[in-house]
Amino acid sequence: MLSIFTRGGDDEGRSPWDVTRSVWYAMFMREAISRTMSDRMGWFWMIAEPAAFTLIMVAIRSQIKGGRLIPGAEFVPWLITGLMGFFLVREGLMRGLGAVDSNQALFAYRQVQPVDPVLTRNFLEGMLRTFVFLLFIVGGLMLGIDLSPDDALLAMFGWISLWCLGLGAGLVVSVLGSLVEEIGKIIKMVNLPLLILSGVIFPLNHLPHSILEYLMYNPIVHGLETLRYGFFNSYHVVHGTSILYLWLCTFSLLSLGLLLHITFKEKLKAK
């Protein structure tokens, strides 16, 4: 699978893009096999985790509130889209966190750079999460739950925006987490608070404005609201939702992550 890395002399006459594309393909196939086949329960947990969250939250909602909870959208589809969007960002963040250290041996090949495993891992994770989301949409339609988007283009744009946001965050933490071990521990600790503060399991519109204005600094909120509005055109998005702010944060993270990789490339290789 990784024989491409050993063909040092074969790189002569090939463009840098051809070499990079070959490296990405080899690393993608390596990660895909490891992600989907090394753990027999891997596919199960990718589907079971959001399903379990949904069942738990529906059970809690049925006990504490019997009326309509989300203006302009049904609770179950609203919750599923939020969970799927959040997991897309979270996995981009967490897969980036260990990407450099777990592929340290590959940096002996001059074609492989520390940024390569981060990019390939995020692309693979995005493809897997997209496939799982499509399974939920089809499964929901079979069960009578309307999960088809009202505006497919806007829904895809929101999904891609969250995907890119996760990539940017993954690029940043892949460097910082490798250089400072404590950062990785902090990132893992904030997962649950971030799930709550991103408006995944309850609508942020119910919060006082004094709290909401601070939560809106979180770009994940803007991505999730955009995604949900693509699925439910009658949904009342959180006041202050901005696609421009979402992409400013995304481009900032992408730029910072790539700059960190360029600056600390040799240090990451020498670890």
Side-chain angles (χ1 to χ4, degrees):
M1 182 61 67
L2 296 179
S3 60
I4 183 66
F5 300 143
T6 64
R7 302 185 308 193
D10 292 349
D11 290 344
E12 296 180 6
R14 303 174 69 203
S15 68
W17 168 243
D18 288 335
V19 175
T20 301
R21 188 175 56 184
S22 297
V23 169
W24 285 351
Y25 175 76
M27 296 196 73
F28 176 82
M29 295 304 296
R30 177 177 181 266
E31 290 287 344
I33 292 172
S34 174
R35 183 83 168 87
T36 59
M37 297 184 182
S38 61
D39 184 2
R40 289 180 297 177
M41 300 292 289
W43 281 104
F44 171 78
W45 287 117
M46 276 192 286
I47 299 173
E49 185 181 18
F53 260 103
T54 303
L55 291 175
I56 292 171
M57 293 309 302
V58 169
I60 293 175
R61 180 221 176 190
S62 65
Q63 293 298 319
I64 64 176
K65 190 160 186 170
R68 196 172 174 80
L69 184 63
I70 312 298
E74 294 296 329
F75 179 73
V76 173
W78 178 89
L79 180 63
I80 291 175
T81 53
L83 286 171
M84 290 296 177
F86 178 80
F87 289 155
L88 180 66
V89 179
R90 187 195 68 179
E91 291 305 311
L93 180 68
M94 298 307 297
R95 296 291 168 186
L97 188 61
V100 174
D101 291 340
S102 61
N103 289 277
Q104 197 71 37
L106 296 180
F107 301 149
Y109 303 103
R110 62 183 177 83
Q111 301 99 325
V112 184
Q113 303 300 325
V115 71
D116 293 332
V118 183
L119 296 176
T120 52
R121 275 192 173 193
N122 186 273
F123 181 75
L124 172 63
E125 195 61 40
M127 294 295 290
L128 292 175
R129 290 289 163 182
T130 301
F131 178 70
V132 172
F133 196 8
L134 291 174
L135 286 181
F136 267 80
I137 292 175
V138 173
L141 293 174
M142 292 175 65
L143 294 173
I145 301 173
D146 188 8
L147 269 172
S148 57
D150 293 335
D151 188 336
L153 290 177
L154 182 60
M156 286 190 290
F157 177 75
W159 185 255
I160 293 172
S161 300
L162 290 167
W163 192 342
C164 292
L165 180 64
L167 172 60
L171 285 169
V172 173
V173 301
S174 64
V175 177
L176 299 181
S178 295
L179 299 177
V180 184
E181 185 179 348
E182 289 73 18
I183 289 181
K185 297 178 181 178
I186 295 173
I187 295 296
K188 293 174 182 177
M189 288 173 55
V190 302
N191 265 326
L192 181 58
L194 195 60
L195 174 74
I196 298 172
L197 298 178
S198 297
V200 177
I201 56 180
F202 66 89
L204 297 182
N205 273 326
H206 292 179
L207 296 177
H209 177 73
S210 58
I211 298 177
L212 182 60
E213 63 178 340
Y214 291 104
L215 295 182
M216 293 305 290
Y217 285 111
N218 177 5
I220 301 177
V221 174
H222 299 263
L224 293 182
E225 291 299 293
T226 301
L227 177 64
R228 282 166 167 160
Y229 189 66
F231 274 83
F232 323 110
N233 281 350
S234 58
Y235 171 61
H236 302 301
V237 299
V238 175
H239 179 72
T241 297
S242 170
I243 295 176
L244 176 61
Y245 177 77
L246 169 63
W247 275 98
L248 284 175
C249 292
T250 299
F251 281 129
S252 298
L253 287 172
L254 288 170
S255 301
L256 177 60
L258 292 173
L259 181 62
L260 287 171
H261 271 276
I262 293 172
T263 304
F264 296 103
K265 178 177 69 174
E266 297 304 324
K267 196 168 184 179
L268 292 172
K269 282 187 171 185
K271 279 195 66 184

